[in-house]
Each structure stands twice: as structure tokens, then as C-alpha cells.
Amino acid sequence: MNARTNQHKMVIRGDVVIDWNIAENPSVRSDSWSQDKHASISRARGGALLLADLLQAWIRVEKAASLRSAKIDAVQIDLEQIVPGDTRHHHAYNLLKPYPTKAGETWRVSRFLGFERKSNPESAFVPGKASSGSSLLVLDDANLGFRQESEAWLPLLDSAGNESWVLIKQTAPLAQGDLWDELIRNHAEHTIVLTTIEDLRRSEVQISRQISWERTAQDVFWELTHNPDVNSLTRAACCIISLNAAGAILLSHKPDEIVEARLLFDPHNMECDFENKHPGTMYGNTSCLAAAISAAIIENPQNPDLIAAIQSGVRGLRSLLISGFERDDLENGRDEFHFPFETIVKAFNQPSDILSVAPVQNPVKNLVGAEPTGTPRVRAGYWTLLEDRYTRDLNQVAQQIVLGGVDAALQDVPVGQFGALKTVDRREIEALHSVRTLIGEYLSRPQARPLSIAVFGPPGSGKSFAVKQIAKSSSAGSVQAITFNISQFDQPSDLIDALHQVRDISLSAATPLVFWDEFDTPYEGKALGWLRYFLAPMQDGAFQEGQITHPIGKSVFVFAGGTSHRMGDFGVDLEEPERRAAKLPDFISRLKGFLDILGPNPIAGLDDPYFILRRAIVLRVLFEMHVPQILEDANGAKRVRIDPGILRAFLETKHYKHGVRSMETLLTMSTLAEAASFDRSCLPPEDQLNIHVDGTDFLARVQQLDLKGETLERLAHAAHEVFCENLTEQGYSYAPVTDREKKTHRALVAYDELNETLKESNRANVRDIPNKLARAGYVMLPARSNEPPFNFPGTDLETLARMEHARWVESMRQAGWVHGQTLDEQARTHPAIVDWEELNEDEREKDRQMVRSIPLILSRAGYAVVHVQNGG
């Protein structure tokens, strides 16, 4: 849009509300009538006037000339002339009470009592015209009548023209009303819409709540671009969906009709998490964002920085929630409460960014056309912010998590925290949030029967720990955990005894969190034989003992699987006669939720590159819990002192045989009681390691060569020597030009005489040796006197040769070489730059020979090649 000479005027109109804040003096707690019990009521300008007052306060303290010189045109009313029920205005009534804080107490809204709407409130419908110098028209549409009164806003829009921004703060129902129709019809390209996710959810949309940031963002993206009830919101230049204290989603309409979305989010808090830490509520949250956006437009009308404005607005919003109302003590015990304008403005002007910013992947981006049958085809995809941020070098990220902690290592990535449990895997975050919400809802109200959920995972994946931490983080009252292992039960009377213990906890006013471990154990030789005995307690909330029925009371039943690692494996083939006879369908129908714990090992059958981050988070927690003395203070943070090889082994070893228990036991087996750091001398011997990992594989990673610097150069030198020896045995001699028919080769010189390109070729070959070995199931170990000479067997030799050829082709292409019929160094063509299947046998043999040379190359650095078994 074009700039104007004067860009410093804001016109603010909309629904005006008089807020009446009713506060009870808490000095007397009695509910009976008493002269000593005091209450007070104070009034405040709300709605469009609250926004105007907030902007006016900002202008008073703003140092930037652009905002300091801004003028505000808003409706003027005299509060002193207004009484409750005044027919000229809408009224809102709020009940205030004090909430304890570290500094004492603060006053917030404990209950919104409701609106008193008037049929013709004069303050909302003040007609007027935007002066020719105005650069911003702010419309506060709270669905209290303003949107239908065209006389109040149509002259403003007509006189503002097409060069002024329009910011509309809109309440549900969204994208409706005469005002909205006018904006989209005639002013869309310079209209910015601001609303909240709760107002959006009040429309006919489906948007997840507190599941994961990715899920929420993509739900919003889809609804606002494809749902006809609300998709006109994205016809505006920008649409901002406030997530309150947790951030916002910004959708921008581009000239080519493409909608782009960006998510501004708090990596450590989901929706409502910040608010839950500050009980009570405050009105004016969205006004904080509207004020920040208005200021951004005034400061730069041609290209307002909406990202920075949202950051500023959320800072102000959070300060409002923390500080609450300002309280003035007046005479006769009367209190008056004020909106904390100055506090919010100070937060607006803080320089720090509290939100991470990420583009939102279009949820339909993988719809790539149709198959011949006409059926849409969707490529597999599962968008995660973690993958967007960290697509490579996961090993390095994992090491930093262990060394310095999750917060220091992972930037701009959602971190799910549930008590002491942390995870960055979207699948786990979504599952854990879902179960936490389920448990929290259950615990928050009276219940007649248990809440039944199932939890699955490999042995040692931390199933019971995860659920306990979820319950702890969602607890509304006292929760007491108790565990029973069904595999140790001999007969149904054992279950009755266990249910009596559960009932005793319930009668003590605590909520039992009952782990039925290995609930899928066979009974009397029948698979899933115990399921039938759980059906009545799950359904009726009671159990039968003889002629007596015992109510269980409020409780959470957690069924931890021992035979299935995932719910998808457990709940299959429900129509099979044996599974129906075992009452599996009846059992599953009584479950209210489930949780799959992924554990520290890669998930079989799935693309699971982020297992190494799960390991890193677990390992960091284990160090903090069991060996805190190896953590040192470093610039205010705790940093782990550990040998790099040991850290590499913990993170990269193929398989932990007993999951997290194995990781924990490896620490306790190591001699760390008096150690200030985790050195190699602390590790147990290989035969002891074999209990929990493949000892050979683990130690090989501990002792793996660090292929850089002097070590890399020495091995590159050795690789060249072996290469020259092989050529010499074939009858080659040196010549400036390589000629296979004459058996001459230009590289038949000492390593030091090679040019840098050929030296780097040798280094690249050496760097890739550990990678090739690991993919084929081999490791390097320090050679001992009893190590026999090693030769790769035929199938492995062929596999490694293919890998070597693929590596060489990629390196050549990166260096600018292409396939050609002849080798031409000036033209950078080479006949061997083709796939393995197109390679002639002579060239394949060169790759095989390169692989055969690996043991000899490594032996010159004191290492031997050893085959290890794959974990599973």
C-alpha cells in the first residue's frame, strides 16, 4: 500500500462495555450477614475504550517518535456519570478475588458473571469519519450490535479510502455480519483480522486442544483455508489467531491466492499451561495483542512487522495475567481496582522474544494428484517442528542434550514435559497430552466407576513412570499409586484381594492409580485369560465377593501390557473366535484411552530416526538422578563430565535389551560412586555389559576412532599406500596420465606428493569406513594378539562394495563431475559415474578391492574389524 504524508492517526470504534469489578474484602470469611464483611464495586472502560486507553498509555511512554506523535480518535464517555444498569451502555460484571503469589497476592477475576446488554447503546454507534491523515482504523467487534450498525462504521471506511489499514478484533460468531461483508467485499487487501482460538472453536470447526503444536497449527490452517464457514477470514490480508499466553498463528494472504501460515509458540507450554500457573482470569488479553499490532502499523504502515508485534503483545498479555488488577485502598474500607496499563506497556517494550517462530506445513501439501483410477494418492508424511529444525546431525544434537540438557540443546522445538518426564517426539507428546487431559478431566469431578486406560511399550520402556508423571502433572487432589503384577496371581481370589486394597485407598480420600502389570498374562493355559475378570470392575465400579458387592470408588486403572508393545498389535483380529472367547472386544470397549510408550530403542518396522533423542533425554535424567556428582556448574547450567566415547556408545549402541532399565543398570554397574567424571576405567567388563547390550558393539563405539586431525591424515596415508600396493601388484607404474591399457597411473606417488584433491579423496574414503561397517553389522575394536586376519564374506563384500561405489559417485558429483564415455579431467567426465547395475565388472572389482583393503588400512592404526549381531 502507498505511504501517506501523515501516518500517525488511529481511529478506534466498536462495541463499548462498562466493566463492573465486584471485589469481596477477604478479611472476613463467613458467609453469614455481618457488618464487618465488606465488598466494593469499581467501574472501568471496557471493549473498544479499553483498547484506546491501552494505546494511549503506550503513547505516553513510547520513545519512538512515530508512536509518540500518534493521535487517537476514540469515543469519549464520563465514567463518573455512569451507574450500573445505565441504558446508554452495555455492562459486564466480574467477581474479583485475591490469589496468592510469591510476592504476596494479586487480584484477578474469579468469575465472569455475565453481560447486561442494552438495545441501543449510544457509545457503540457514534458516527464519524476517518480523517484523510489516518493510517489505521481499529474496529472492536464483540458481537454486541456494532457489526450490524452500518451508520457507525460505513462512513469511517468510506472516508479512510483504500490506503489505510483496518484492524478488526472479532468475537464469535466469526466471519459474519454486515461489517465483515463490507470489509471482505471492499477492503480485504488491507484488512487484518484478530481473533482467538476459542472464538474460532465456537464456530463449526474441528481444532484439537492441547495435543501438540503441530496438530493445532495444521487444524487451524485446514479450517481457515477449506471450511466454508470461516475460510473468508483468509481473504483478508492477514488473519491472526491468538493462542493467548502461548502464542498465535499468523495466516497471510498472498497476491497469487496462496495462504501462508506461521506458528508463534512457546516450546515449553501448550495452550492454557501458562494460564493454569496463574489461577483466575483477566479480561483484555486480546486487547494487548491488538494494541501491539496497532503500534506496529503506526511505526511502519507500508510493511508492519506483525511477528514482532505478536511477540510484544504476548509479553504484555503475560504481564497482565501475572500482575492482575492494581488495587487502591480508599476510605471507609472501600477498594478500587484499575487495569495495569503501565505494567503492560513496560512488558510491550521489553526487547526479548519469548516465542519461537516456524512455518506451518500445509496439511494437504502431499496430495499429489490422482492414480489412473481417479483415487487421490497421498504420500506418507508426518510433519514435525523437530524435523523441520533438525533434519541432520541428530547424533550431535543428542550429545548436546546429554551434556547440557534439553533446553540448551534444542531451540525452537516443542518440549513435552509431564512432571519429571520430558519428550520431544510428536507422537509421544500427542499421546501423553491426550491421556493427561483424560485423567485430569476424570479427577476433577465425582466418579462412580474407574477410568480405564491401557499402556503398551517394550519391556523397560518406562510405562509405569510415564503414567505416574502424567497423573502427577494433571492431578486434582491426592493420587496414590499401587501396582499388581497379574503374572503372579494364581486364582481370581488374588484379584479380589487386590481390589480390596484399591478400595481401602479410595476410602482414605485418595484416588488410587492402579497398575495392572502384565494384565494380558495367560490364565489356565488360555491367552488373555484374565481379561474376563476385569470386565465387571471396569463397567460397574464394583466387585463381587460371595453375596456382597463392594464399590471400588473413584480410581484410575492402568493396564500395562506385557506381550504387546503397541495398542495396534494388541487390538487386532477381534473377531477371531479365541479372542472373542477371551472377551477381548468387551475389554477394549471399556477402555477410555491408551498410551504407546516408545522407549529408547528404534521402533521395529517404522522410520524412527529420533530414537537417539529419546535416549539422550533419558540418559540426561538418569545422570541427574543417580550420579549428580559428574555434573559441573558451567555458566549457570549443569554440564555432564563424560568421556566422548562412552557418550557415543550410550547413544548409538544397537539395542538395549531391557529398555530404560538397561540404561539405568549400566550406570549402577559402573564404578561412579566416587568419580567426578565418567571415564572409560569406570565401565564394567564386556561380559557384564552383555547382560544389557551387545558388549562388543558397545565397546567398539567407546573406542571408535575419532576420524579427524592427525588420525584422519594417518589413515588417509595408509589408504593411499594400500591403493598403490594393489596397483603395483597388478603391474601398474607411474605416469603423468592414467592409461589402463598401458597400466600407468598418475596417483602412483607418495602420499605427500599428491595434490589436495587426491588427498581429500583418500580422507573421504577413510571417513566413510565406520559408516559402511556399521551399516553392514561390523565395528572397529583395538586389535589384540589373538585377532585373526579378517576377510569380508561374499554377501557382505558385495554390500560394502555397493556402498563404496555410491559414496564415490556422490563425492564425484558434488565435485562437479558427470558421466562421460571417457575419463577427461578437464571436462570432468568419468565413465564409472553410473549406478552399480550399469557398472562393468572391472569397475566393480575396484570397489571390492577398496573394501578388501579396509582391514589392512585399519590395522595400521591398531584396529581390527569385528562382526556383531544386530540387536532385536
Side-chain angles (χ1 to χ4, degrees):
M1 78 199 306
N2 296 326
R4 283 182 173 255
T5 304
N6 179 5
Q7 298 288 343
H8 306 305
K9 185 170 182 180
M10 289 179 274
V11 177
I12 301 176
R13 295 289 190 274
D15 289 305
V16 171
V17 177
I18 306 303
D19 284 303
W20 295 93
N21 299 317
I22 306 167
E24 176 187 358
N25 191 315
S27 60
V28 178
R29 298 295 182 184
S30 172
D31 289 332
S32 62
W33 185 91
S34 170
Q35 291 179 335
D36 297 324
K37 190 170 184 179
H38 301 288
S40 63
I41 183 169
S42 55
R43 58 201 157 196
R45 292 153 55 95
L49 297 184
L50 173 62
L51 175 56
D53 291 346
L54 184 53
L55 278 164
Q56 196 67 61
W58 198 348
I59 290 171
R60 284 197 302 269
V61 301
E62 179 57 50
K63 296 179 180 179
S66 58
L67 191 57
R68 189 172 65 246
S69 61
K71 305 297 182 183
I72 294 179
D73 177 353
V75 176
Q76 300 300 316
I77 63 172
D78 185 358
L79 276 181
E80 296 299 323
Q81 302 300 316
I82 299 175
V83 296
D86 192 316
T87 59
R88 296 172 297 171
H89 310 283
H90 298 305
H91 303 269
Y93 297 91
N94 307 288
L95 193 62
L96 273 55
K97 79 172 190 179
Y99 291 89
T101 65
K102 293 180 180 179
E105 66 180 24
T106 187
W107 288 77
R108 303 189 186 102
V109 176
S110 62
R111 184 182 173 193
F112 171 60
L113 299 177
F115 281 112
E116 183 182 1
R117 297 182 61 165
K118 301 301 178 180
S119 57
N120 293 296
E122 62 182 40
S123 56
F125 308 137
V126 175
K129 294 184 178 181
S131 69
S132 59
S134 64
S135 57
L136 174 62
L137 173 60
V138 183
L139 304 176
D140 193 326
D141 175 11
N143 191 34
L144 295 175
F146 178 76
R147 63 173 58 174
Q148 305 301 342
E149 295 292 332
S150 59
E151 298 139 5
W153 42 259
L154 193 55
L156 295 170
L157 292 171
D158 289 343
S159 59
N162 292 327
E163 296 182 2
S164 297
W165 284 103
V166 179
L167 171 62
I168 177 169
K169 180 165 91 63
Q170 195 173 59
T171 303
L174 302 176
Q176 295 183 27
D178 296 342
L179 171 58
W180 179 251
D181 292 342
E182 171 65 20
L183 287 173
I184 290 305
R185 184 169 51 247
N186 296 317
H187 307 275
E189 65 183 15
H190 53 275
T191 292
I192 298 174
V193 188
L194 172 62
T195 189
T196 69
I197 193 155
E198 285 307 315
D199 281 303
L200 185 57
R201 288 189 177 114
R202 292 188 187 102
S203 307
E204 293 185 9
V205 301
Q206 183 172 337
I207 297 174
S208 59
R209 185 192 305 271
Q210 288 186 300
I211 300 298
S212 69
W213 279 129
E214 293 92 340
R215 177 77 174 273
T216 298
Q218 288 196 310
D219 285 351
V220 169
F221 200 164
W222 191 93
E223 295 289 350
L224 290 184
T225 52
H226 297 284
N227 188 328
D229 290 326
V230 293
N231 64 7
S232 66
L233 290 172
T234 55
R235 290 174 58 191
C238 294
C239 177
I240 299 170
I241 308 298
S242 170
L243 304 168
N244 294 311
I249 300 172
L250 170 62
L251 297 100
S252 303
H253 188 113
K254 303 300 181 184
D256 54 4
E257 302 298 321
I258 294 175
V259 175
E260 294 180 349
R262 282 173 287 180
L263 171 67
L264 287 83
F265 67 101
D266 184 337
H268 302 285
N269 289 286
M270 280 293 295
E271 274 187 83
C272 303
D273 285 352
F274 188 90
E275 288 87 344
N276 290 338
K277 296 171 186 175
H278 303 88
T281 61
M282 293 293 293
Y283 58 78
N285 292 347
T286 315
S287 293
C288 290
L289 272 174
I293 295 165
S294 300
I297 294 172
I298 291 296
E299 289 176 359
N300 186 2
Q302 291 182 301
N303 187 26
D305 189 344
L306 296 182
I307 294 293
I310 294 170
Q311 296 272 13
S312 180
V314 172
R315 286 197 301 271
L317 188 160
R318 289 189 176 189
S319 73
L320 170 64
L321 293 174
I322 294 170
S323 64
F325 290 98
E326 295 173 350
R327 176 188 179 193
D328 289 339
D329 293 325
L330 304 179
E331 296 179 357
N332 302 321
R334 182 171 173 267
D335 297 324
E336 192 168 275
F337 294 88
H338 306 283
F339 200 75
F341 291 109
E342 301 297 330
T343 300
I344 295 171
V345 169
K346 289 180 181 177
F348 281 153
N349 292 324
Q350 291 174 358
S352 61
D353 288 341
I354 58 178
L355 304 173
S356 297
V357 184
V360 180
Q361 186 184 95
N362 189 330
V364 299
K365 69 167 291 188
N366 289 326
L367 288 171
V368 292
E371 300 289 354
T373 59
T375 303
R377 179 169 60 91
V378 181
R379 288 200 301 262
Y382 190 74
W383 174 60
T384 71
L385 291 165
L386 176 66
E387 187 173 2
D388 278 358
R389 182 71 176 82
Y390 298 101
T391 55
R392 297 182 179 179
D393 300 326
L394 289 181
N395 290 42
Q396 184 177 358
V397 175
Q399 289 180 18
Q400 292 306 312
I401 289 174
V402 178
L403 294 174
V406 174
D407 295 344
L410 292 175
Q411 303 295 321
D412 303 325
V413 169
V415 178
Q417 181 149 10
F418 309 84
L421 173 65
K422 284 187 178 182
T423 179
V424 294
D425 191 299
R426 177 184 168 183
R427 291 165 296 186
E428 281 197 324
I429 289 174
E430 291 186 347
L432 292 166
H433 272 303
S434 297
V435 172
R436 183 175 73 171
T437 300
L438 193 65
I439 294 176
E441 287 288 321
Y442 178 85
L443 294 175
S444 66
R445 61 191 67 175
Q447 303 289 346
R449 55 187 178 184
L451 170 68
S452 297
I453 60 176
V455 57
F456 298 93
S461 57
K463 296 186 287 290
S464 64
F465 175 77
V467 177
K468 288 176 183 176
Q469 296 307 310
I470 292 172
K472 181 179 179 180
S473 66
S474 62
S475 176
S478 175
V479 174
Q480 183 176 335
I482 186 170
T483 301
F484 303 100
N485 193 311
I486 305 302
S487 67
Q488 298 176 3
F489 286 7
D490 295 323
Q491 51 193 350
S493 61
D494 294 335
L495 179 58
I496 299 296
D497 293 340
L499 289 171
H500 271 296
Q501 295 181 56
V502 174
R503 186 168 182 266
D504 289 343
I505 295 174
S506 183
L507 291 173
S508 71
T511 302
L513 180 67
V514 192
F515 285 90
W516 303 107
D517 206 5
E518 299 189 56
F519 75 95
D520 45 2
T521 294
Y523 176 59
E524 294 183 336
K526 296 181 180 178
L528 306 175
W530 284 98
L531 295 191
R532 66 180 65 249
Y533 298 101
F534 285 106
L535 299 182
M538 294 168 70
Q539 179 66 29
D540 304 327
F543 61 95
Q544 195 79 20
E545 187 178 27
Q547 300 299 314
I548 303 175
T549 300
H550 299 282
I552 298 171
K554 189 176 186 177
S555 55
V556 179
F557 282 7
V558 181
F559 294 93
T563 60
S564 299
H565 294 176
R566 286 181 286 178
M567 181 66 181
D569 300 328
F570 176 73
V572 296
D573 302 325
L574 297 182
E575 297 303 317
E576 284 190 359
E578 290 184 2
R579 294 171 81 77
R580 291 189 65 85
K583 302 295 183 180
L584 177 60
D586 297 318
F587 177 82
I588 290 179
S589 71
R590 287 162 170 79
L591 294 175
K592 299 300 186 291
F594 74 92
L595 183 63
D596 287 340
I597 301 297
L598 303 181
N601 291 317
I603 302 172
L606 293 180
D607 182 19
D608 185 25
Y610 296 101
F611 77 91
I612 195 168
L613 300 188
R614 299 198 298 271
R615 283 185 180 180
I617 293 171
V618 169
L619 190 58
R620 172 72 186 197
V621 172
L622 292 176
F623 283 151
E624 292 172 348
M625 291 173 56
H626 297 295
V627 285
Q629 75 275 8
I630 71 170
L631 277 71
E632 64 178 346
D633 289 321
N635 298 323
K638 294 287 187 179
R639 191 164 182 84
V640 174
R641 292 185 293 253
I642 185 172
D643 177 271
I646 295 176
L647 177 56
R648 179 173 54 241
F650 266 104
L651 293 175
E652 298 178 15
T653 193
K654 289 180 179 296
H655 187 78
Y656 285 101
K657 296 179 180 179
H658 311 291
V660 175
R661 285 198 295 270
S662 288
M663 299 178 71
E664 187 173 17
T665 305
L666 287 180
L667 285 185
T668 58
M669 291 168 62
S670 302
T671 55
L672 293 170
E674 304 297 329
S677 64
F678 199 161
D679 300 321
R680 299 187 184 192
S681 59
C682 300
L683 285 172
E686 182 176 342
D687 57 345
Q688 300 295 317
L689 289 172
N690 279 325
I691 301 173
H692 296 281
V693 293
D694 183 317
T696 300
D697 172 69
F698 190 91
L699 290 177
R701 296 176 192 276
V702 172
Q703 299 160 344
Q704 181 177 308
L705 280 172
D706 189 7
L707 296 180
K708 61 184 181 181
E710 183 181 343
T711 302
L712 175 62
E713 205 66 13
R714 186 170 68 251
L715 282 174
H717 195 289
H720 180 66
E721 286 183 347
V722 171
F723 172 76
C724 291
E725 290 168 3
N726 290 332
L727 286 178
T728 302
E729 290 177 2
Q730 297 173 42
Y732 275 78
S733 59
Y734 169 77
V737 177
T738 299
D739 189 323
R740 294 173 187 171
E741 293 183 0
K742 297 179 180 179
K743 287 197 172 186
T744 60
H745 204 291
R746 66 190 181 98
L748 266 174
V749 296
Y751 179 80
D752 292 339
E753 298 177 28
L754 292 175
N755 61 42
E756 189 58 30
T757 299
L758 292 176
K759 285 183 178 179
E760 184 55 33
S761 176
N762 282 289
R763 295 183 194 117
N765 175 28
V766 168
R767 287 192 196 98
D768 194 56
I769 286 176
N771 175 56
K772 283 199 288 285
L773 292 178
R775 288 173 63 186
Y778 294 87
V779 296
M780 300 180 301
L781 283 175
R784 298 294 183 259
S785 58
N786 60 349
E787 291 291 341
F790 183 84
N791 291 305
F792 292 106
T795 55
D796 289 347
L797 176 63
E798 201 70 5
T799 297
L800 290 167
R802 283 173 171 265
M803 292 181 190
E804 169 56 26
H805 179 68
R807 180 204 66 79
W808 177 83
V809 168
E810 180 62 22
S811 68
M812 292 292 282
R813 285 174 175 163
Q814 288 183 359
W817 288 70
V818 296
H819 173 260
Q821 295 300 319
T822 60
L823 173 61
D824 188 327
E825 292 189 9
Q826 290 186 343
R828 293 203 166 195
T829 61
H830 200 296
I833 301 180
V834 293
D835 292 340
W836 176 266
E837 288 73 17
E838 302 175 46
L839 205 61
N840 63 49
E841 193 58 29
D842 287 343
E843 292 293 341
R844 290 182 180 183
E845 185 57 28
K846 290 180 182 178
D847 291 312
R848 296 186 190 109
Q849 187 57 42
M850 187 70 74
V851 171
R852 293 188 190 102
S853 301
I854 289 176
L856 180 58
I857 294 169
L858 293 177
S859 69
R860 299 188 182 185
Y863 278 76
V865 176
V866 178
H867 185 262
V868 295
Q869 298 297 321
N870 288 327

